[in-house]
Amino acid sequence: MYALIDCNNFYVSCERVFQPQWQGKPVVVLSNNDGCIISRSEEAKALGIGMAVPEFKIREQLKAGNVKVFSSNYSLYGDLSQRVMGIMRLYTPNVEEYSIDEAFLDFNGVTIPDYNAYGLEIKQRTWKWLSMPICVGIAPTKTLAKAANRIAKKFQDKTQGVYVMDTDEKRIKALKWLKIEDVWGIGYRTVKKLKARNIVTAYDFIQPHMEQWIKNEMGVIGMRIKCELEGSPAIGDGQVPEKKKSIATTRSFPKQLTSYDLLRERVSTFATVSAEKLRKQKSCCYTVIVMLVADKHSINNPKYYYSKAITLPFATNSAITISNAAVQLLKELLADTDTIKFKKAGVIVTELIPEDAKQFNLFNDENPKHIALMKAMDKMNEKLGGRKIRLAAQAKKTWDMNQNMLSPRYTTDINDILVVQCQ
């Protein structure tokens, strides 16, 4: 059996851990640069506040509803995430961190007489130790565990936040309820094709007449999903049903930029972050793309989006190689765009291959020292936090996010530690 642990409204819940006065009140957390809403409390959702809505568009609504607004505090969120994962490891040594607020627990080899009681114990301990609300879904496969978690979260009054899918009757009932777009691993393009064939639920998806279509259109990944929904484990440790075909790191600037030095620091940083993401999913890329976006309302030229791409002679996930390629592309873009002011930039890496499938080039290959250097860099940044080790092109930080409503970093900065007055 597998469990999927998911923290409820994670960013909001993190803010409430050290500021419990916001429990039961509407709270939202904003994205980078205090842009869009990326996390909402249940009370904020009840006020009709949508996900990914720009904050400035609903500022009056937020004030009218007395909604507390926080800037993203990633240091706090990352630290609390690791504390949650530490609690999970008390219940099984096989914990797979799926995202900052989700983890799969593999119970194979662990004797558990009552899975529902076990799930409730995990939930209660996480709340008692961290004041972090979670939901637990338990099922024979990872895909079904995701569905069970969705049920636990949707019907918390009935399930107490824990749902165990331990019989075929429960599995079939869940699949008939689960919409096809909510099945883990099925992307929106595939959903469109499935709905065109009148496949609207997970139960429709596993019908015998769909097998050939799944093989033809979705291949091995689709058949794995089908097996998982039928109760047979087909997704191993570290596997996800659908791998990313490209990785993008893009940001808007607080003010419009023209300076090469300022843009170079941003582009180099985006390239470094993209390379880090590649290494985390054990992939390499062949192609690097740099994009610049101008404010179309402030220029006379109808063209406001600029991009250039380069295909490398070898696959890589080295921050040095990708950053150098991105900076070279930036120079070429600026040579073609004169003095246009840019409001956004980004780096995209694509043509991804697995790290262990990399083919070496006899005449033009990457410096072998990069692999060891990247491992050391990742290890130090993970230990120190905040990407303290950077490339020379990033040495002088020229840009900071707008974080006007940032909470203290209670657990990662000694200057922000809580002070308790005992009388």
Side-chain angles (χ1 to χ4, degrees):
M1 296 286 276
Y2 294 88
L4 189 278
I5 310 298
D6 184 14
C7 300
N8 301 345
N9 309 318
F10 181 61
Y11 290 174
V12 165
S13 296
C14 288
E15 299 292 351
R16 285 172 163 174
V17 167
F18 293 97
Q19 301 188 68
Q21 68 269 27
W22 298 112
Q23 293 285 358
K25 296 180 181 179
V27 180
V28 298
V29 176
L30 304 179
S31 63
N32 293 325
N33 286 319
D34 291 345
C36 302
I37 291 169
I38 56 172
S39 183
R40 305 163 293 160
S41 67
E42 296 302 322
E43 296 79 11
K45 293 175 186 177
L47 293 175
I49 296 170
M51 190 68 165
V53 178
E55 183 269 341
F56 76 90
K57 286 189 176 182
I58 59 168
R59 194 167 292 162
E60 294 304 318
Q61 183 185 355
L62 294 171
K63 289 180 180 178
N66 293 317
V67 180
K68 178 62 178 176
V69 181
F70 287 101
S71 302
S72 294
N73 188 341
Y74 296 117
S75 296
L76 176 66
Y77 307 155
D79 185 68
L80 288 178
S81 172
Q82 288 308 302
R83 295 181 187 221
V84 170
M85 301 306 167
I87 293 174
M88 297 306 116
R89 291 186 179 91
L90 297 175
Y91 292 92
T92 174
N94 303 315
V95 176
E96 180 185 344
E97 297 179 27
Y98 179 61
S99 68
I100 193 170
D101 63 340
E102 288 182 279
F104 285 105
L105 277 60
D106 184 348
F107 292 138
N108 291 318
V110 180
T111 303
I112 302 172
D114 186 338
Y115 282 103
N116 190 71
Y118 206 61
L120 286 171
E121 183 183 333
I122 295 172
K123 178 181 169 64
Q124 289 162 3
R125 177 170 288 187
T126 307
W127 176 256
K128 184 176 181 179
W129 286 14
L130 286 180
S131 297
M132 180 65 64
I134 67 170
C135 284
V136 183
I138 301 175
T141 70
K142 289 182 177 180
T143 305
L144 289 175
K146 287 281 281 188
N149 185 277
R150 183 176 288 272
I151 293 170
K153 187 172 287 189
K154 180 74 173 177
F155 306 104
Q156 289 194 53
D157 291 339
K158 293 182 179 179
T159 65
Q160 296 182 289
V162 176
Y163 186 74
V164 181
M165 198 183 297
D166 53 358
T167 66
D168 260 350
E169 183 182 358
K170 287 183 178 179
R171 180 180 67 84
I172 296 300
K173 186 177 180 180
L175 295 184
K176 289 181 177 179
W177 170 82
L178 186 66
K179 295 178 182 177
I180 191 64
E181 58 265 31
D182 294 332
V183 175
W184 185 46
I186 298 183
Y188 74 94
R189 290 189 180 90
T190 305
V191 166
K192 287 183 178 179
K193 294 178 182 178
L194 288 166
K195 286 189 173 181
R197 298 179 64 85
N198 203 31
I199 305 301
V200 295
T201 68
Y203 185 72
D204 297 333
F205 182 80
I206 65 169
Q207 295 308 300
H209 72 272
M210 285 297 298
E211 184 167 333
Q212 192 59 49
W213 186 91
I214 294 170
K215 286 181 180 178
N216 294 339
E217 296 291 331
M218 300 177 67
V220 174
I221 291 172
M223 290 305 296
R224 284 178 179 169
I225 295 172
K226 183 175 183 293
C227 287
E228 290 258 324
L229 291 174
E230 291 172 338
S232 300
I235 298 174
D237 292 342
Q239 290 183 316
V240 294
E242 190 169 288
K243 285 197 172 183
K244 292 181 179 179
K245 296 180 180 178
S246 63
I247 292 174
T249 305
T250 64
R251 296 288 186 275
S252 296
F253 307 137
K255 59 182 180 180
Q256 296 183 32
L257 302 178
T258 56
S259 166
Y260 166 72
D261 288 336
L262 297 178
L263 288 168
R264 181 187 64 177
E265 187 273 333
R266 286 291 82 205
V267 166
S268 180
T269 297
F270 299 158
T272 303
V273 172
S274 297
E276 183 181 301
K277 292 178 180 177
L278 281 172
R279 294 194 296 274
K280 280 187 177 180
Q281 72 169 40
K282 300 187 183 301
S283 295
C284 292
C285 75
Y286 271 108
T287 299
V288 180
I289 303 168
V290 172
M291 50 162 272
L292 296 173
V293 182
D295 184 354
K296 61 181 178 182
H297 301 294
S298 64
I299 59 174
N300 296 324
N301 192 334
K303 184 177 180 181
Y304 62 92
Y305 181 94
Y306 301 85
S307 69
K308 274 187 178 293
I310 184 172
T311 298
L312 303 171
F314 46 80
T316 183
N317 56 20
S318 165
I320 298 171
T321 304
I322 295 173
S323 176
N324 288 343
V327 169
Q328 181 58 42
L329 291 172
L330 174 65
K331 290 178 181 177
E332 295 174 10
L333 280 171
L334 292 180
D336 296 338
T337 54
D338 298 325
T339 57
I340 295 175
K341 293 181 178 180
F342 296 102
K343 67 173 186 177
K344 184 177 182 180
V347 173
I348 303 168
V349 292
T350 186
E351 288 192 71
L352 308 188
I353 63 168
E355 194 176 51
D356 56 7
K358 178 180 176 181
Q359 293 185 355
F360 293 94
N361 190 308
L362 182 62
F363 302 105
N364 189 4
D365 209 350
E366 191 164 59
N367 188 331
K369 293 182 179 180
H370 283 201
I371 297 174
L373 183 59
M374 290 301 106
K375 285 182 179 178
M377 186 173 170
D378 289 341
K379 186 176 180 179
M380 290 300 296
N381 282 335
E382 183 178 353
K383 182 178 180 180
L384 299 173
R387 297 192 176 101
K388 294 290 190 294
I389 310 299
R390 302 195 295 268
L391 303 183
Q394 304 172 265
K396 183 181 178 183
K397 193 173 182 181
T398 58
W399 175 88
D400 282 300
M401 288 191 293
N402 284 330
Q403 293 178 302
N404 298 320
M405 294 155 281
L406 186 66
S407 58
R409 290 166 289 182
Y410 299 101
T411 62
T412 59
D413 191 327
I414 192 65
N415 297 313
D416 289 341
I417 196 169
L418 279 175
V419 176
V420 180
Q421 295 181 350
C422 300
Q423 295 180 348

